[in-house]
Amino acid sequence: MFFKRLSFILALCLASGAAQAALVVDTGTPSNAVGSGWAFNSNHSYAGRFSVAGALTIDSIAGYFSTDAGTVGVSLFSNSGDGDGGFIPGSVLRTASVTTAAGALAWNGVSALDWKVGPGTYWVVFTSSFGAGSQSSMPGMAPQALDGYALMQGGQWYDATFLGLGQGLRVDGALVSSVPEPAGSMMLIVGLAGIGALARRRRRG
């Protein structure tokens, strides 16, 4: 019985401040119109890079682009050097997809991901699978540019940081903090006090 109570108190302490919801990346909505940005036709892949300082659970990812009937893959890649002093997506870590119909420019993406990542630099990759005659677009000139962009052509990634890609990207998640919050600290103190009281009662019994 003592150990069951001890486990319950420790569980309360550990659950007191695990994660905080956060908007991890938000470039804002790009200002370019359809036809003024980059063509987002079948098997075109565009990527944006971001970094996180701590452990993170990614909940949703969205990009700003027009769509056609088909699917759009949304993937998380590691970061890799391109051999020329720049960076490109490395290996795929997680992937999801969304089915689309013909639509105007809008925020499109995936949710309920629960993708857990550690501190580091990552790429979000959007890959379209539309018909050959698609005229979809991923416009640039997002208000808050990312620190890196890349595009894939002919099966090869290219650093596009200086090509004005400027795609729109939003990443929502939960940041896991290792620093106890005030409420968490209080729960820890109360928990330790409870453990001490249970130990004293057990010795008396």
Side-chain angles (χ1 to χ4, degrees):
M1 186 65 180
F2 170 75
F3 289 105
K4 287 184 179 179
R5 291 178 180 175
L6 176 60
S7 299
F8 176 71
I9 292 172
L10 288 175
L12 286 177
C13 296
L14 294 174
S16 61
Q20 294 179 336
L23 185 59
V24 182
V25 179
D26 186 5
T27 64
T29 302
S31 59
N32 272 354
V34 172
S36 299
W38 295 72
F40 193 44
N41 299 339
S42 186
N43 297 320
H44 283 197
S45 293
Y46 298 121
R49 188 175 68 166
F50 70 98
S51 299
V52 293
L56 172 71
T57 299
I58 296 175
D59 295 326
S60 65
I61 298 175
Y64 190 74
F65 49 86
S66 61
T67 60
D68 208 333
T71 61
V72 175
V74 183
S75 305
L76 186 71
F77 277 65
S78 63
N79 188 47
S80 178
D82 67 355
D84 296 317
F87 294 92
I88 55 175
S91 57
V92 61
L93 303 175
R94 304 296 294 267
T95 189
S97 64
V98 57
T99 302
T100 60
L105 285 172
W107 287 98
N108 301 280
V110 289
S111 59
L113 296 174
D114 195 31
W115 290 355
K116 293 177 174 59
V117 298
T121 300
Y122 301 92
W123 292 82
V124 170
V125 177
F126 296 97
T127 302
S128 62
S129 296
F130 301 141
S134 173
Q135 297 298 315
S136 299
S137 174
M138 179 171 280
M141 296 185 67
Q144 304 296 325
L146 299 173
D147 62 358
Y149 294 95
L151 59 86
M152 178 179 281
Q153 290 183 343
Q156 181 175 347
W157 282 109
Y158 295 92
D159 183 355
T161 303
F162 304 106
L163 296 182
L165 180 56
Q167 70 195 46
L169 176 65
R170 287 177 181 165
V171 178
D172 284 287
L175 297 172
V176 180
S177 175
S178 60
V179 179
E181 300 175 5
S185 299
M186 182 59 68
M187 286 292 293
L188 181 60
I189 293 170
V190 172
L192 292 175
I195 291 169
L198 285 174
R200 287 193 296 273
R201 286 177 57 187
R202 188 167 182 264
R203 284 196 299 269
R204 289 172 188 158

